[in-house]
Amino acid sequence: MPERPDRRPSSLPAKRSGWLRPSGPSSPPPPAASGPAGSSTPVPPDHRSVIDSAVYRDGRRVASPATLADTFRQLREQHGGMAWIGLHRPTESELHSLAAEFNLHPLAVEDALEAHQRPKLERYGDTLFVVLRAARYLDAPEEVDFGELHVFVGPDFLITVRHGAAPDLSAVRRRMEETPDLLSLGPEAALYAILDAVVDGYAPVVAGVQNDMDEIETEVFRGDPEVSRRIYELSREMVEFQRATRPLVGMLHALMAGFAKYGTDEELQRYLRDVADHVTHTSERVDGFRQALTEILTVNATLVSQQQNAEMRALAEAGFEQNEEIKKISSWAAILFAPTLVGTIYGMNFETMPELHWAAGYPFAILLMAVVCVSLYVIFKKRDWL
């Protein structure tokens, strides 16, 4: 494939690329993705995935191309300009077209296509590749929804590839267009704004999770049987939230470590330090949530165990009382059975029974029944059955 033409004239002064300026000798650009076989020019794909595409110069929008091909052309015409292209779930052909135009590294393009990446920051020559995990709190289902954002930052371009609903980059673009002095600092200023938007989006999530934690604590001590499931689901969300925020701390500190080396503008340095402070605070809050959820789960397990023990104790006491009643009933049944047995024998009226013609037979039978009943009563009483 022919070498990509340089869009800047040789007489143009170097742009303040800040974090984007490579530290060592220039490395050759990675091979760009090609268009159809036999074609040296990328074929502009269908632009339905393009949310917004604009060319800026001195911090002001000078063109709003309708297609990626128009964006490429107008960027070449605007010496010293910057292209900001926003995509949402782009196709493979769209990303390959961008890779061919801006010399994007194939590995970064592959990551942007597959998504499901962890937050990271990588340099490929003079291009910076950033992966961010945005988050938003959904009030109705009371859950956290995570999105993924891939950002390619070069000397004169910024490309965002969004997977998911968050964040709202149109608001970020409007904010930057309202401050052309900041946007004139180049693509790194737009990257700052995106980082700031992603981090600011964590604040409502933290507030929503805090509210869920308060509700869960109330449900735990109220004995709600569904609270264990809610604790588990929120714990899983906090694991995802932690995976989104914790790598950002290291990423921002890596950017700040290169301030002096890459000559980053002082205004951007202040902004990035502020973003880093917010990320650190959010990360600490998330760590605190995970610890609190673990403690709440332990407390809930203890309360459930105590409740089960109380129920088992109540069942045991009820069984003991029932056993006592059964013993009383059985004792009286045995006492009443004894005279019935004697009376039944004498009620058979056999001719050969000697007691039938014995004058003392009736008193003897009554006495026998009384002796048996009294004996049984005394025995049962000594055993506390009565």
Side-chain angles (χ1 to χ4, degrees):
M1 178 175 177
E3 184 179 356
R4 169 173 159 252
D6 189 358
R7 288 190 294 270
R8 294 192 188 88
S10 58
S11 61
L12 189 67
K15 189 177 182 67
R16 292 174 297 179
S17 56
W19 324 311
L20 311 176
R21 187 178 298 116
S23 58
S26 299
S27 56
S34 61
S39 173
S40 61
T41 303
V43 177
D46 184 8
H47 64 277
R48 284 177 297 179
S49 300
V50 180
I51 304 302
D52 195 0
S53 180
V55 176
Y56 299 87
R57 186 169 185 175
D58 297 327
R60 302 185 184 278
R61 184 188 287 240
V62 295
S64 300
T67 65
L68 292 179
D70 291 340
T71 303
F72 303 155
R73 177 179 54 80
Q74 298 205 33
L75 180 60
R76 296 189 192 104
E77 296 173 355
Q78 292 292 333
H79 295 159
M82 178 192 79
W84 184 345
I85 302 171
L87 305 173
H88 180 252
R89 298 186 184 278
T91 63
E92 185 175 354
S93 61
E94 286 173 329
L95 279 182
H96 284 171
S97 175
L98 291 166
E101 177 66 21
F102 297 113
N103 287 337
L104 304 181
H105 198 280
L107 293 178
V109 173
E110 181 181 355
D111 287 345
L113 277 173
E114 294 180 357
H116 304 293
Q117 304 293 320
R118 299 194 68 176
K120 61 181 179 179
L121 183 149
E122 295 180 350
R123 295 180 185 273
Y124 298 101
D126 61 352
T127 301
L128 192 66
F129 178 60
V130 181
V131 178
L132 303 172
R133 292 293 305 276
R136 60 174 182 162
Y137 186 80
L138 304 179
D139 292 322
E142 293 186 331
E143 62 184 24
V144 182
D145 177 54
F146 294 94
E148 190 168 334
L149 180 64
H150 301 248
V151 186
F152 297 88
V153 189
D156 59 351
F157 67 88
L158 183 136
I159 303 168
T160 59
V161 180
R162 186 161 52 93
H163 297 270
D168 182 10
L169 295 182
S170 61
V172 177
R173 190 187 290 262
R174 287 194 302 269
R175 171 190 168 194
M176 293 301 292
E177 290 177 348
E178 292 172 358
T179 54
D181 291 341
L182 183 59
L183 187 55
S184 65
L185 296 177
E188 58 266 36
L191 176 60
Y192 145 72
I194 292 172
L195 288 168
D196 186 53
V198 171
V199 174
D200 284 349
Y202 294 152
V205 178
V206 170
V209 171
Q210 182 63 65
N211 183 65
D212 288 346
M213 298 275 291
D214 295 339
E215 293 179 357
I216 285 174
E217 289 180 353
T218 302
E219 292 172 359
V220 164
F221 290 101
R222 195 171 56 196
D224 192 330
E226 297 295 327
V227 71
S228 296
R229 180 183 181 87
R230 190 175 182 187
I231 294 173
Y232 173 74
E233 291 175 348
L234 188 57
S235 298
R236 290 185 59 187
E237 291 178 350
M238 288 305 97
V239 171
E240 287 295 318
F241 202 7
Q242 196 173 51
R243 289 174 180 171
T245 57
R246 180 171 289 179
L248 269 179
V249 177
M251 291 165 57
L252 290 172
H253 280 85
L255 289 174
M256 290 189 296
F259 282 166
K261 183 177 182 179
Y262 299 120
T264 305
D265 186 89
E266 292 185 2
E267 187 71 9
L268 290 181
Q269 291 184 29
R270 287 191 289 268
Y271 286 139
L272 278 175
R273 289 192 187 98
D274 181 65
V275 175
D277 290 341
H278 290 170
V279 168
T280 302
H281 176 70
T282 301
S283 182
E284 291 173 351
R285 290 292 303 275
V286 175
D287 292 343
F289 287 151
R290 285 203 64 186
Q291 181 65 30
L293 283 170
T294 302
E295 294 174 355
I296 290 174
L297 190 60
T298 302
V299 171
N300 182 63
T302 302
L303 293 177
V304 170
S305 178
Q306 291 177 349
Q307 183 179 1
Q308 291 176 343
N309 291 339
E311 292 175 354
M312 292 296 294
R313 191 181 304 110
L315 288 174
E317 292 175 353
F320 178 77
E321 293 177 359
Q322 185 178 19
N323 189 44
E324 292 298 314
E325 295 297 328
I326 291 175
K327 287 194 293 184
K328 292 179 180 179
I329 295 173
S330 300
S331 300
W332 284 112
I335 293 173
L336 295 176
F337 175 73
T340 303
L341 177 62
V342 176
T344 302
I345 294 174
Y346 277 91
M348 289 188 290
N349 298 323
F350 288 107
E351 290 291 337
T352 57
M353 291 180 67
E355 291 85 356
L356 294 178
H357 303 287
W358 184 29
Y362 176 73
F364 175 77
I366 296 298
L367 179 62
L368 179 61
M369 287 187 283
V371 170
V372 172
C373 291
V374 170
S375 299
L376 289 174
Y377 180 83
V378 171
I379 294 172
F380 293 148
K381 194 68 175 176
K382 285 184 177 181
R383 296 184 178 182
D384 292 329
W385 285 26
L386 292 175

